Amino acid sequence: MLADGDVVSIDFGAILSGWHGDAARTVIVGDPGRDDLELIDATREAFWAGAAAAHEGNRVGDVSKAIEGYVKRLPRRYGTLREYTGHGIGTEMHMAPDVPNWHRTRPTPRLRVGMALAIEPMLTLGTHDTLELDDEWTVVSRDGSRGAHWENTVAITPGNLGAHRARRRAERLGDMFAPLAD
């Protein structure tokens, strides 16, 4: 049962003509708390930092580094989930390469036009440690802190125009889940 003040992440996908898309949003049921709103904003902006780095010639590690760098520059410390990552996507929902939300010093694949990534930062108000519940789907933070998840499918296009256009469009349209927080 949902209760006033709950923070809920909704992860959803779609398949159209054999091609997969994946997205997630985090919403607040009822009256939002300031910490929860800041957590969701930080997670969404971490996504946009990663999306801006997802362009031809960069590497998957550049996307990870952009997400981690954004989160580390924030005045508040957040836990960045490490057990769950973004991923390649296309004719299957989960494909190579994995797209971590933190930078690891190792070679990663170079991004090419035509690739698609599901970039999905997941942050908590506590540590990065998680537990999976008995339903084998629901994930909660081990320390009981609130968490947020923000995901979109990003196509690698010439000159990274896709991420910039998508950001402008999203800003024009507003957050499609804002009414759920009211």
Side-chain angles (χ1 to χ4, degrees), residues 106-125:
R106 66 177 192 178
T108 58
R110 193 163 300 280
L111 301 178
R112 302 178 321 276
V113 169
M115 291 176 74
L117 305 174
I119 299 172
E120 51 182 311
M122 293 168 256
L123 305 178
T124 71
L125 292 172

Side-chain angles (χ1 to χ4, degrees), residues 90-130:
T91 56
E92 297 177 34
M93 182 62 71
H94 295 98
M95 300 173 65
D98 286 342
V99 184
N101 297 308
W102 73 100
H103 181 66
R104 296 182 277 187
T105 307
R106 66 177 192 178
T108 58
R110 193 163 300 280
L111 301 178
R112 302 178 321 276
V113 169
M115 291 176 74
L117 305 174
I119 299 172
E120 51 182 311
M122 293 168 256
L123 305 178
T124 71
L125 292 172
T127 70
H128 68 272
D129 297 317
T130 61

Side-chain angles (χ1 to χ4, degrees), residues 152-174:
N152 282 306
T153 300
V154 175
I156 308 304
T157 61
N160 195 29
L161 295 176
H164 295 293
R165 286 182 183 154
R167 172 84 190 233
R168 285 195 308 270
R169 183 168 192 262
E171 289 170 349
R172 280 195 317 271
L173 294 175

Side-chain angles (χ1 to χ4, degrees), residues 11 41 43 52 59 82 85 91 113 115 137 140 151 162 170-172 174 176 179:
D11 191 345
D41 287 346
T43 308
R59 294 184 174 275
R82 294 173 180 251
T85 67
T91 56
V113 169
M115 291 176 74
W137 181 255
V140 297
E151 175 185 22
E171 289 170 349
R172 280 195 317 271
M176 63 190 246

Side-chain angles (χ1 to χ4, degrees), residues 30 32 49 58 62 65 69 77 84 86 101 109 111 125 133 146 174:
N58 264 2
D62 296 316
K65 191 173 186 177
R77 303 296 286 172
Y84 299 91
N101 297 308
L111 301 178
L125 292 172
L133 299 185
R146 306 261 200 175

Side-chain angles (χ1 to χ4, degrees), residues 2-8 27-33 36 40 146 180-181:
L2 296 176
D4 187 48
D6 281 351
V7 176
V8 180
V27 297
I28 301 170
V29 178
D31 291 325
D36 296 334
I40 292 169
R146 306 261 200 175
L180 294 177

